[in-house]
Amino acid sequence: MDMKEKKPAHQGPDKNSMKPFLYYYLIVVVVLMVINALGFSSLFQREVREVPYNELIRQVDEGNISMISKDDNSLVFIAKDEQGRENIYKTGIWTWPDEALDSKLEEQNVVRVAEIPTEPNPVMNALLSWVLPLVLFVIIGQILSRSLAKRMGGNAMTFGKSNAKIYAENETGKTFADVAGEEEAKEALKEIVDFLHNPKKYADIGATLPKGALLVGPPGTGKTLLARAVAGEAHVPFFSISGSEFVEMFVGMGAAKVRDLFKQANEKAPCIVFIDEIDTIGKKRDAGAMGGNDEREQTLNQLLTEMDGFDGRKGVVILAATNRPESLDKALLRPGRFDRRIPVELPDLKGREAILKVHAANVKLSDNVDFNSIARATSGASGAELANIVNEAALRAVRMGRGIVLQEDLEESVEVVIAGYQRKDASVSENEKKIVAYHEIGHALVAAKQSHSAPVHKITIIPRTSGALGYTMQVEEGERFLMSQEEALNKIATLTGGRAAEEVIFHSITTGASNDIEQATKLARAMVTRYGMSSHFGMVALETVTNQYLGGDSSLACSPETAKEIDDEVVEMVKQQYDKAKKILEENESKLHELATYLLEKETITGEEFMQILNREEARGDC
Ligand code: ADP
Ligand code: MG
Ligand code: ZN
């Protein structure tokens, strides 16, 4: 991340957090007492040396003494030592008055004073040993508390004042060049960039640009990235806040944050306000729900009010992102608010290739790297996943002790993203391995023996951390948008091919097919309820998709009787395809054996190897 000037918008003293500081002061006092008890205060005093009386006589004889004082039972004098430094000495009184000494002192002009202070002035002493450290501690404490408050994003207790982490960036440093693919979205956003560059052009002609644009699409498709790129292209400040930040403990806080956000944005116009994950506050307000969420509703109302209230011509553009557009309150979507909706879809083949290239721009690549083949193998992957694939590949290259990334690194990292890391240490028994090999060849063989199936790209029986004991990778030649009924049925057959092989060869079945079963059922169900591909129901929608961008959950929209019929239809459909797969495998049993044996030995085989063995056998056998 290259966030410049990333800072929470508010800081301030925190009444509530004064409590910990009480403890803090207590600790300070204790520490000071210890320091004093250990006598560190003598550091601030001049050292006084106790010497015998004849030392005094000797010093007088040598003429070292410059000053002397006498009290009731001791003499204190200042004398130079060998290095010429002046020290304070103290000695007891031997004979007094000592006339011999007296006259010598007289001779040498030694200053006689009432008292040579052996301790510094008590006020100074206290100042040095108590007050100064205390002041120091207080200053440090103050600095600490301020930075703490800063880090916590301001204050939690002051009502009406926002502590939302509103991030303000003067330059996001991102441009449209950082966003690969998504041409339509970029096109739609270019107008906004132009408007921010030159609001006057629009004002002169009397046009008002939409106040807000809503970026909708699945997670990881670059919505946040696009919003930042708009700010970067327009060279305007970027205020961003995540919807979840609005959800607060105290009622009224969310609304205050919204007010605050817009106030700041107005001061900095032209600028961009970005509300990420707006669905957290923008959910439909429904009357019926138990009590509802007052806080969220208030926040949303405030947002709507602010959007209506501010002057669109000033150059504040509001962008928001969500992956659940269907759950948004209609009020948010009406004209004058987020009336422009910009879809940010999963990248297509060309888009994926472009995204891979953008993220590989700073990666050292070998010449043989073919992004097109990687893009083909990652159908359905989001931009974030593709970015991750490139990075994983670079990490793998480093792990292998190489200086550049090879095609095999990228291929392996695709598999890591799909199926997890290889588990070389996993102890799979020989028998299990054999079953897995036949299972995977079963998939591949059924796929290959049907028309309209994606070619087999790779088959492996190396276990993965995801729990998969092996898998067959099929890669389409190009991008597919439509699937015919025949293709869908063939796909179900391919999915059941693994289990079918187990039954044909071992006459017993294992749990290894659970994922296949799930996928086959899902597809069959969708064919019946959504794609109108069953003879019985025809073109009737029996399910509605509720969460288009998040897994695509669907809910039934039919009577219980119909639901039962649907189930029957799905069961029948899968069964038919299973039988078809079994038939294919029985007809090609010798090839199944040969391929499975080969796979068992190699553990991983490519699509070409697979096809070679398959065709070789065919040439000798059938024809
Ligand atoms: P979203 O907000 O849609 O969930 P992000 O914008 O946070 O997705 O994307 C996450 C990361 O994925 C980005 O930081 C970027 O590295 C990568 N990414 C996603 N889409 C693209 C794209 N179209 N071009 C380049 N990188 C992308
Ligand atoms: Mg995002
Ligand atoms: Zn399988």
Side-chain angles (χ1 to χ4, degrees):
M1 286 264 208
D2 48 300
M3 297 211 169
K4 286 162 206 153
E5 270 204 19
K6 185 168 182 172
K7 57 164 201 261
H10 282 282
Q11 326 146 2
D14 188 334
K15 280 170 210 155
N16 200 34
S17 66
M18 282 314 276
K19 225 176 194 171
F21 288 105
L22 256 173
Y23 294 110
Y24 172 78
Y25 286 120
L26 219 88
I27 291 169
V28 168
V29 169
V30 171
V31 168
L32 283 177
M33 299 201 16
V34 170
I35 287 177
N36 264 289
L38 291 178
F40 281 108
S41 56
S42 64
L43 283 176
F44 305 110
Q45 295 172 1
R46 289 173 77 183
E47 196 183 6
V48 178
R49 294 179 197 179
E50 299 253 5
V51 288
Y53 193 70
N54 20 356
E55 174 72 11
L56 169 65
I57 307 292
R58 192 181 65 79
Q59 296 273 27
V60 173
D61 287 342
E62 286 179 15
N64 289 338
I65 295 180
S66 58
M67 194 182 278
I68 193 160
S69 78
K70 173 194 172 295
D71 64 18
D72 289 345
N73 40 32
S74 63
L75 285 168
V76 178
F77 59 96
I78 296 177
K80 283 204 188 77
D81 61 14
E82 290 85 56
Q83 282 90 39
R85 257 176 305 168
E86 288 203 322
N87 290 318
I88 301 178
Y89 298 90
K90 187 176 176 181
T91 179
I93 292 172
W94 186 246
T95 44
W96 199 262
D98 184 336
E99 263 139 37
L101 180 70
D102 229 19
S103 60
K104 272 181 196 160
L105 292 174
E106 188 84 9
E107 237 167 66
Q108 292 173 16
N109 277 326
V110 174
V111 183
R112 268 170 274 195
V113 292
E115 194 195 350
I116 292 175
T118 54
E119 278 176 13
N121 162 344
V123 178
M124 271 301 282
N125 194 16
L127 220 70
L128 287 174
S129 62
W130 280 93
V131 182
L132 188 74
L134 201 69
V135 167
L136 265 173
F137 270 111
V138 169
I139 289 173
I140 292 170
Q142 215 81 133
I143 291 169
L144 274 180
S145 80
R146 203 161 299 157
S147 76
L148 194 73
K150 215 184 234 173
R151 239 177 305 142
M152 298 198 309
N155 47 36
M157 292 299 281
T158 325
F159 285 84
K161 198 73 174 129
S162 145
N163 75 339
K165 286 202 194 70
I166 301 169
Y167 289 110
E169 293 172 71
N170 277 338
E171 270 293 333
T172 61
K174 295 274 180 230
T175 63
F176 282 148
D178 293 307
V179 189
E182 308 296 352
E183 295 306 328
E184 299 81 7
K186 277 196 255 181
E187 204 53 52
L189 290 166
K190 267 184 192 140
E191 195 178 26
I192 292 177
V193 173
D194 187 51
F195 170 69
L196 288 167
H197 268 309
N198 196 354
K200 199 169 166 294
K201 187 168 90 185
Y202 289 78
D204 283 351
I205 205 167
T208 40
L209 216 69
K211 282 180 183 171
L214 185 64
L215 300 161
V216 298
T221 46
K223 297 182 294 297
T224 308
L225 185 65
L226 267 168
R228 301 189 56 198
V230 171
E233 288 277 336
H235 301 291
V236 296
F238 183 70
F239 291 91
S240 65
I241 187 164
S242 173
S244 52
E245 302 250 357
F246 285 116
V247 180
E248 270 287 333
M249 201 162 29
F250 307 111
V251 174
M253 286 294 290
K257 283 178 192 174
V258 173
R259 222 173 298 135
D260 214 57
L261 176 65
F262 278 86
K263 192 165 152 275
Q264 288 188 51
N266 257 320
E267 283 162 11
K268 284 269 184 100
C271 67
I272 286 187
V273 173
F274 178 57
I275 305 173
D276 213 348
E277 293 159 55
I278 195 171
D279 44 287
T280 26
I281 45 164
K283 268 201 213 98
K284 284 195 186 79
R285 293 165 292 186
D286 40 8
M290 290 232 303
N293 187 340
D294 278 348
E295 164 62 357
R296 218 192 55 222
E297 242 168 66
Q298 276 193 28
T299 309
L300 177 56
N301 284 336
Q302 187 65 39
L303 179 64
L304 296 175
T305 314
E306 291 288 346
M307 283 192 78
D308 289 343
F310 81 85
D311 188 352
R313 280 163 304 181
K314 257 185 98 174
V316 179
V317 171
I318 307 163
L319 296 178
T322 179
N323 36 39
R324 322 185 43 172
E326 69 286 336
S327 75
L328 288 183
D329 197 289
K330 289 284 168 290
L332 266 177
L333 304 172
R334 67 133 236 241
R337 290 166 186 161
F338 292 108
D339 45 3
R340 195 166 281 195
R341 194 180 163 125
I342 302 174
V344 186
E345 297 291 345
L346 286 173
D348 57 9
L349 180 59
K350 238 176 71 197
R352 289 197 298 275
E353 198 175 333
I355 293 172
L356 287 169
K357 281 182 181 154
V358 163
H359 286 279
N362 295 324
V363 176
K364 289 204 184 72
L365 297 168
S366 107
D367 295 336
N368 77 343
V369 167
D370 175 12
F371 283 120
N372 184 270
S373 88
I374 302 297
R376 272 193 286 123
T378 48
S379 150
S382 70
E385 283 167 322
L386 293 168
N388 189 23
I389 283 172
V390 173
N391 193 47
E392 281 286 338
L395 290 176
R396 184 173 187 268
V398 173
R399 231 179 291 134
M400 298 285 183
R402 265 190 265 107
I404 54 168
V405 172
L406 307 180
Q407 180 77 1
E408 74 175 66
D409 294 323
L410 284 159
E411 272 170 11
E412 172 61 24
S413 84
V414 168
E415 285 171 59
V416 166
V417 171
I418 294 172
Y421 287 97
Q422 289 189 355
R423 276 176 57 198
K424 293 246 167 71
D425 58 333
S427 53
V428 181
S429 73
E430 278 310 307
N431 189 40
E432 277 175 331
K433 253 193 180 156
K434 198 168 154 191
I435 294 173
V436 175
Y438 275 96
H439 177 109
E440 296 308 331
I441 294 292
H443 285 305
L445 206 53
V446 172
K449 285 290 170 187
Q450 293 177 120
S451 53
H452 309 300
S453 278
V456 172
H457 182 73
K458 185 175 181 177
I459 311 169
T460 171
I461 53 167
I462 297 173
R464 295 274 166 170
T465 46
S466 67
L469 293 176
Y471 60 89
T472 305
M473 213 168 134
Q474 284 174 276
V475 176
E476 296 278 2
E477 288 293 351
E479 184 87 311
R480 301 298 304 271
F481 298 101
L482 288 174
M483 185 156 55
S484 71
Q485 182 172 15
E486 195 186 355
E487 283 165 341
L489 289 173
N490 285 355
K491 196 165 172 190
I492 296 176
T494 304
L495 284 166
T496 60
R499 164 64 66 86
E502 289 177 31
E503 203 192 335
V504 169
I505 303 298
F506 303 103
H507 306 292
S508 76
I509 51 178
T510 68
T511 54
S514 64
N515 186 263
D516 302 336
I517 292 168
E518 197 183 314
Q519 282 190 52
T521 313
K522 217 168 155 181
L523 180 54
R525 212 178 166 77
M527 284 176 72
V528 175
T529 61
R530 281 159 50 200
Y531 304 146
M533 285 181 178
S534 75
S535 49
H536 185 72
F537 291 109
M539 277 183 61
V540 175
L542 301 164
E543 266 183 359
T544 46
V545 176
T546 46
N547 238 333
Q548 188 187 352
Y549 293 124
L550 297 172
D553 297 337
S554 49
S555 54
L556 273 180
C558 59
S559 68
E561 294 82 42
T562 317
K564 192 183 170 304
E565 284 178 49
I566 294 173
D567 291 337
D568 294 344
E569 186 96 5
V570 169
V571 170
E572 183 57 32
M573 193 181 269
V574 175
K575 194 167 175 307
Q576 266 179 23
Q577 295 310 312
Y578 181 73
D579 290 340
K580 184 167 107 191
K582 232 169 98 177
K583 194 155 153 274
I584 292 175
L585 293 175
E586 276 162 356
E587 281 167 6
N588 297 283
E589 204 176 321
S590 62
K591 282 160 218 158
L592 180 56
H593 282 301
E594 191 184 351
L595 282 160
T597 313
Y598 186 72
L599 176 61
L600 206 50
E601 183 196 324
K602 294 264 177 177
E603 294 207 322
T604 299
I605 63 174
T606 64
E608 286 100 66
E609 283 175 280
F610 172 80
M611 288 313 289
Q612 211 183 347
I613 294 173
L614 191 62
N615 291 334
R616 182 178 68 201
E617 192 73 9
E618 240 168 8
R620 245 193 283 148
D622 304 341
C623 310

